[in-house]
Amino acid sequence: MLGTWILALFLLKAAEGKEVCFERLGCFSDDLPWSGTTERPVYKLPWDPKKIDIHFHLYTRENQNDPQEVFPADVSTIESSNFNASRITRFIVHGFIDRGEESWLSDMCERMLSVEDVNCICVGWKRGARCQYTQASNNVRVVGAEIAYFIKVLMEEYDYSPADVHIIGHSLGAHVAGEAGKRQPGIGRITGLDPAQPYFQGTPAEVRLDKSDAEFVDVIHTDTAPTIPNLGFGMSPAVGHLDFYPNGGKQMPGCGKNPVSQIIDLDGIWEGTRDFMACNHLRSYKYYSDSIIYPDGFLGYSCASYELFESGNCFPCPKEGCPNMGHYADKFKGKIDSGFLKLYLNTGEAKDFPLWRYKVTVTLSGKSKVKGYVNIALYGSDGNTRQHRIFKGTLRPSNTYTGFIDAEVDVGTVTKVKFLWNNHQINPTFPKIGAETITVQSGQNGTEYHFCGSEDVREDVLQTLTPC
Amino acid sequence: DTGELCLQSAQCKSSCCHRTSGLSLARCAPKAAEFQECSPKSLYGVYYKCPCESGLSCDVDKTIVGSITNSDFGTC
């Protein structure tokens, strides 16, 4: 009897909904859809902003290495800083467990400042992020409100346009950006770096990051496997104007290493431990960071699925070009019609991550058929690639084989091609096979380069083909 | 796979176990492409510069000291 009463009391309490209010930021309730749904079963109210301990660290070209702390509630701190209202402002927000002092945030600012003159603000909410996940995912709302308030102050004090604001959020930080965009309409751009999946995937648009939160929303998905049972931390549905799924979005190359090799990382034990815990999830900001200095190294091919992209159905880029994943995605702002655009590409397995995709078509010459594989290396005005395997199986003379190369260097104009075949077997008849013609097509602009060969070669011997 | 720790080149798919200095840990690395720095095949099993990809040879002046200290470098 007592038990049912207690249960009834709980239900009553839940049905009423609780609310907390904070100075400047307004009130937050745990009503639907914030709690009590299948996606968000645990009732939690966000913490006080003082308890979350939100910090804004400003980096500009005048102070690239020592950040200045600014407080939105105190305009004098902004006035005395290097903040310049004539520049674009980019906020970088971290996610669960992370902190604003983590080096990836300041490194990203440093890279941006090397290519453009911006106000780069790292948003830290360490204490609010280092608690139970259910609590942290509700603290997101307060952090978002604080950023929205910051932008409001800029509008009032400097006549600053929200269209000049870009918020980059990783994991829970992506939803922080979404919340800020909801509270302050007209923000120019939000970039979601693998937005967090638990407590957000499947919820209404007002809870999570959505394309309605800013004029332009681009998302990079790198860890979209279900949280249960695969421990994927990122959202899989497309939520922005442009949604990039590098390497298919589920499993990133370089993240399948054995634990010892993963933890003892080239960038140190701390970086390695982070990757051990969430390698796929953290790849999203590494790709973004690399995209700042390799604008054309992350072209996204619009395709129905990753499998179709891999089999070459969505190659090359259309006439208007492929959207750039990462920093330069906003080149495509306004060029996209309604609906969701899913884009696929491959990346490298360690830094540097950019790759340039080429299609290679080889017509073989020779007398006998053999089993083996075909390797191709591209040589161009700006360098040459490694040998890439484009086909494995039975090699028949005068047949044509097609494959794709994700080249680790941008070779520029292709000037020659080298062909090599091998089967790792000693064949006493020493068969000879050559490439009669090779066509190389660049994915970036669709340009085709034709090459001809005149000889056949033994296995493991390089054949050079010249333009024709 | 590339990036994994190794003791011997035979452990690696690329068959190059690479380390940057005598004190650093060795990891599997891809073989050297044309025009990149390389070292000839050695008996040590661990390289400071990976040998070349198939079809290429490492163009290098071999010296006795170099082959003992595994520091004969050339280009593919």
Side-chain angles (χ1 to χ4, degrees):
Chain A
M1 192 60 200
L2 187 70
T4 38
W5 271 110
I6 291 170
L7 190 70
L9 208 67
F10 261 108
L11 287 173
L12 204 68
K13 223 178 162 187
E16 264 179 10
K18 282 181 289 181
E19 196 176 64
V20 279
C21 297
F22 306 118
E23 194 192 342
R24 296 184 289 119
L25 305 180
C27 297
F28 301 84
S29 81
D30 62 0
D31 275 341
L32 288 173
W34 297 103
S35 297
T37 59
T38 16
E39 291 85 17
R40 303 172 75 102
V42 181
Y43 284 82
K44 284 275 165 72
L45 285 167
W47 280 353
D48 189 286
K50 288 193 193 76
K51 194 175 173 189
I52 294 175
D53 201 20
I54 307 166
H55 291 278
F56 293 91
H57 292 282
L58 171 71
Y59 292 82
T60 63
R61 280 200 167 159
E62 288 82 46
N63 58 313
Q64 295 217 16
N65 299 317
D66 53 316
Q68 294 173 323
E69 184 156 15
V70 289
F71 300 93
D74 183 359
V75 183
S76 66
T77 59
I78 306 174
E79 262 156 24
S80 62
S81 74
N82 289 329
F83 179 84
N84 186 335
S86 63
R87 301 188 191 120
I88 283 176
T89 302
R90 302 195 199 267
F91 290 89
I92 307 177
V93 194
H94 64 80
F96 189 47
I97 307 282
D98 226 346
R99 58 197 179 121
E101 295 84 2
E102 199 56 61
S103 59
W104 72 264
L105 295 110
S106 51
D107 287 351
M108 203 183 270
C109 278
E110 200 176 306
R111 282 195 167 173
M112 283 177 191
L113 292 168
S114 71
V115 296
E116 59 191 8
D117 193 12
V118 292
N119 306 304
C120 187
I121 301 177
C122 297
V123 184
W125 52 292
K126 178 170 78 177
R127 271 194 236 157
R130 293 193 169 176
C131 54
Q132 284 176 357
Y133 182 79
T134 50
Q135 183 63 55
S137 54
N138 275 295
N139 291 343
V140 156
R141 301 161 66 189
V142 172
V143 184
E146 187 80 79
I147 296 175
Y149 180 79
F150 196 124
I151 297 165
K152 203 171 124 216
V153 168
L154 295 183
M155 287 164 71
E156 283 164 2
E157 297 294 323
Y158 293 91
D159 208 11
Y160 198 82
S161 162
D164 289 335
V165 172
H166 176 197
I167 310 176
I168 301 162
H170 172 247
S171 184
L172 280 182
H175 300 297
V176 168
E179 179 70 24
K182 203 147 27 246
R183 286 170 178 263
Q184 179 55 63
I187 287 179
R189 179 180 173 196
I190 289 176
T191 300
L193 303 175
D194 213 30
Q197 177 185 137
Y199 270 58
F200 294 96
Q201 185 163 313
T203 60
E206 64 169 305
V207 176
R208 56 171 169 81
L209 173 66
D210 184 74
K211 66 200 291 186
S212 59
D213 292 333
E215 284 171 23
F216 179 68
V217 177
D218 59 310
V219 185
I220 301 177
H221 300 267
T222 56
D223 196 13
T224 62
T227 310
I228 304 165
N230 304 58
L231 276 181
F233 298 126
M235 275 171 86
S236 60
V239 290
H241 296 97
L242 293 180
D243 284 80
F244 295 89
Y245 294 83
N247 311 299
K250 278 206 179 80
Q251 179 62 42
M252 298 302 116
C255 285
K257 291 197 278 251
N258 65 55
V260 179
S261 300
Q262 190 78 269
I263 291 173
I264 304 173
D265 189 84
L266 284 171
D267 295 329
I269 301 279
W270 173 236
E271 194 58 35
T273 310
R274 286 167 62 88
D275 274 349
F276 175 64
M277 303 304 288
C279 181
N280 291 321
H281 193 42
L282 303 183
R283 276 287 192 264
S284 54
Y285 67 69
K286 299 185 182 181
Y287 297 157
Y288 189 95
S289 201
D290 268 7
S291 77
I292 298 169
I293 46 176
Y294 296 102
D296 59 358
F298 295 94
L299 297 181
Y301 294 81
S302 168
C303 213
S305 76
Y306 184 60
E307 286 68 35
L308 286 170
F309 163 75
E310 279 282 81
S311 60
N313 283 33
C314 308
F315 189 90
C317 290
K319 238 189 269 128
E320 62 273 21
C322 284
N324 310 62
M325 179 175 86
H327 198 57
Y328 301 94
D330 57 351
K331 274 190 199 167
F332 273 74
K333 187 175 178 174
K335 282 194 204 168
I336 40 239
D337 40 7
S338 56
F340 294 101
L341 196 56
K342 290 192 172 189
L343 300 140
Y344 295 91
L345 65 152
N346 286 331
T347 66
E349 55 187 25
K351 64 176 185 184
D352 299 337
F353 291 105
L355 294 176
W356 288 265
R357 197 165 173 85
Y358 293 90
K359 180 183 185 176
V360 180
T361 312
V362 182
T363 307
L364 295 181
S365 63
K367 288 192 181 66
S368 48
K369 67 168 193 182
V370 289
K371 271 207 162 114
Y373 56 80
V374 170
N375 280 358
I376 298 287
L378 305 178
Y379 294 74
S381 50
D382 299 341
N384 63 296
T385 71
R386 301 181 183 288
Q387 295 173 8
H388 292 266
R389 184 162 309 173
I390 62 149
F391 178 77
K392 194 180 176 195
T394 311
L395 307 175
R396 282 195 188 82
S398 77
N399 270 19
T400 301
Y401 303 92
T402 304
F404 289 86
I405 290 179
D406 285 306
E408 66 285 0
V409 281
D410 181 10
V411 296
T413 308
V414 187
T415 50
K416 64 178 177 182
V417 177
K418 289 195 182 180
F419 167 92
L420 178 136
W421 71 275
N422 202 342
N423 59 6
H424 286 312
Q425 274 168 24
I426 294 164
N427 189 330
T429 60
F430 297 117
K432 276 186 164 185
I433 283 202
E436 201 168 87
T437 59
I438 293 182
T439 306
V440 180
Q441 189 180 26
S442 146
Q444 196 173 348
N445 46 27
T447 315
E448 286 195 1
Y449 304 92
H450 298 274
F451 301 94
C452 296
S454 51
E455 38 162 19
D456 297 338
V457 287
R458 294 245 291 268
E459 72 171 320
D460 231 5
V461 175
L462 278 171
Q463 181 199 4
T464 306
L465 288 92
T466 48
C468 63
Chain B
D1 273 9
T2 305
E4 300 213 40
L5 295 169
C6 54
L7 295 169
Q8 255 296 329
S9 286
Q11 291 175 304
C12 299
K13 270 187 201 160
S14 63
S15 62
C16 173
C17 187
H18 170 261
R19 62 178 173 187
T20 42
S21 72
L23 290 170
S24 60
L25 291 163
R27 288 163 195 281
C28 295
K31 286 192 165 182
E34 192 165 359
F35 308 124
Q36 285 184 336
E37 279 193 300
C38 57
S39 43
K41 289 233 161 65
S42 87
L43 297 169
Y44 288 97
V46 181
Y47 295 95
Y48 296 111
K49 309 270 181 206
C50 284
C52 303
E53 294 182 311
S54 47
L56 298 166
S57 63
C58 195
D59 198 5
V60 62
D61 292 324
K62 282 190 190 170
T63 59
I64 296 165
V65 181
S67 54
I68 292 169
T69 58
N70 199 5
S71 58
D72 273 336
F73 302 138
T75 40
C76 291

